[in-house]
Amino acid sequence: MILEDKILFTGGSGLLGGEIKKLIPNAYFPSHQEFDIENYSQMKEYLKGKEINQIIHAAAFTSPPKVEKDPIKGIDTNIIGTSNVVKLAFENNSKLIYISTDYVFSGEKGNYSEEDALYPVNKYAWSKLGGECAVRMYDNSLIIRTSFGPNEFPYEKAFIDQWTSRESVSEISKKIINLLNKDVFGIIHLGGPRRTVFEYAKSLDKSKDIGKRSIKEMDLNFPKDTSLDSKKYNLLMGEIK
């Protein structure tokens, strides 16, 4: 049984937060003004009088191009901010679930397992890996590596030469909720089948006319194949034997 009123979700105004709130509406979803992860004293004050046994940490500076232009904000939010959340979990003896990214991998091979070597190729991914390092200091934690997007593809074109396990935010949200009652710690991968971003985009709405583009057109270095092996999750949920 999920005790919603004992769950704190950071980043509630984001894409994932909106979907998670539909599934556990009685959890705490503080605004940035109430709970700034860069302001530790404010975070501690917010938790006074509340019994929190799980923190889902999704608040992040998530745009790779913007982190490339403003790496200090990437450090402040994704590394220092996450470290603050880890300290808060320590102090409250709360389980911490950290939403990380498939971009922590180099993209050279794809179908990455939880044990594969990490090597980010852009500053956004390095900042998220920095957050993972802080979370790994806390034993009562779970790192979820995943990739998700809006339920409707928001762009006119999609990459034909970048492979992913990305799913819609509604599908990933359900999988995250499935983990809340599980005694699983360490790292777990969540995602769908390996496919190009273009194939993923078309799967959301086959009737939508989506153009094709290449990651070679981009100024930023994007990993070529960050598809994830989700066997650990599937076994946990009894989906495969």
Side-chain angles (χ1 to χ4, degrees), residues 1-163:
M1 179 180 177
I2 297 173
L3 301 175
E4 295 183 30
D5 62 347
K6 298 185 187 302
I7 296 173
L8 172 71
F9 188 97
T10 75
S13 62
L15 180 64
L16 183 64
E19 288 292 329
I20 294 286
K21 196 168 188 176
K22 296 175 187 176
L23 301 174
I24 49 170
N26 295 316
Y28 291 97
F29 293 85
S31 67
H32 177 75
Q33 288 71 29
E34 296 174 293
F35 191 87
D36 180 356
I37 62 171
E38 295 175 37
N39 186 339
Y40 190 63
S41 60
Q42 184 198 51
M43 294 163 67
K44 289 182 66 174
E45 186 67 28
Y46 180 84
L47 253 61
K48 281 186 178 178
K50 299 179 178 68
E51 185 182 348
I52 300 297
N53 61 24
Q54 291 197 79
I55 300 173
I56 305 172
H57 176 40
F61 187 30
T62 59
S63 168
K66 289 181 180 178
V67 176
E68 207 71 23
K69 292 178 181 177
D70 191 356
I72 291 176
K73 185 176 180 183
I75 293 169
D76 287 341
T77 305
N78 297 347
I79 300 177
I80 296 173
T82 297
S83 298
N84 284 335
V85 176
V86 175
K87 289 193 293 183
L88 200 69
F90 261 113
E91 287 199 1
N92 289 273
N93 196 29
S94 304
K95 181 171 182 179
L96 174 59
I97 298 174
Y98 173 59
I99 308 301
S100 190
T101 174
D102 57 342
Y103 271 30
V104 295
F105 296 106
S106 68
E108 292 300 313
K109 77 177 193 72
N111 196 35
Y112 287 101
S113 75
E114 289 83 356
E115 290 75 34
D116 277 322
L118 308 174
Y119 194 91
V121 298
N122 57 48
K123 290 184 174 66
Y124 160 69
W126 277 111
S127 72
K128 290 296 288 182
L129 181 54
E132 283 199 15
C133 291
V135 175
R136 290 302 296 268
M137 298 291 288
Y138 183 51
D139 293 337
N140 190 16
S141 67
L142 176 65
I143 293 168
I144 295 176
R145 296 192 188 123
T146 189
S147 177
F148 58 86
N151 294 320
E152 295 183 8
F153 194 71
Y155 306 109
E156 293 182 358
K157 296 180 180 181
F159 295 132
I160 58 171
D161 53 356
Q162 184 186 44
W163 281 262

Side-chain angles (χ1 to χ4, degrees), residues 138-222:
Y138 183 51
D139 293 337
N140 190 16
S141 67
L142 176 65
I143 293 168
I144 295 176
R145 296 192 188 123
T146 189
S147 177
F148 58 86
N151 294 320
E152 295 183 8
F153 194 71
Y155 306 109
E156 293 182 358
K157 296 180 180 181
F159 295 132
I160 58 171
D161 53 356
Q162 184 186 44
W163 281 262
T164 182
S165 295
R166 190 173 305 164
E167 289 191 296
S168 67
V169 65
S170 59
E171 288 300 313
I172 290 298
S173 296
K174 292 173 191 173
K175 292 182 177 182
I176 291 171
I177 296 300
N178 286 342
L179 291 169
L180 296 186
N181 275 334
K182 299 289 185 181
D183 287 326
V184 57
F185 305 93
I187 303 170
I188 197 164
H189 288 175
L190 298 187
R194 178 183 181 272
R195 52 192 171 181
T196 65
V197 176
F198 177 79
E199 290 168 333
Y200 153 75
K202 292 295 289 184
S203 75
L204 297 176
D205 184 354
K206 292 182 173 59
S207 64
K208 185 175 181 180
D209 185 20
I210 297 172
K212 298 178 180 180
R213 70 181 313 182
S214 169
I215 57 173
K216 295 174 184 176
E217 302 169 23
M218 307 300 291
D219 293 332
L220 182 66
N221 192 10
F222 281 90

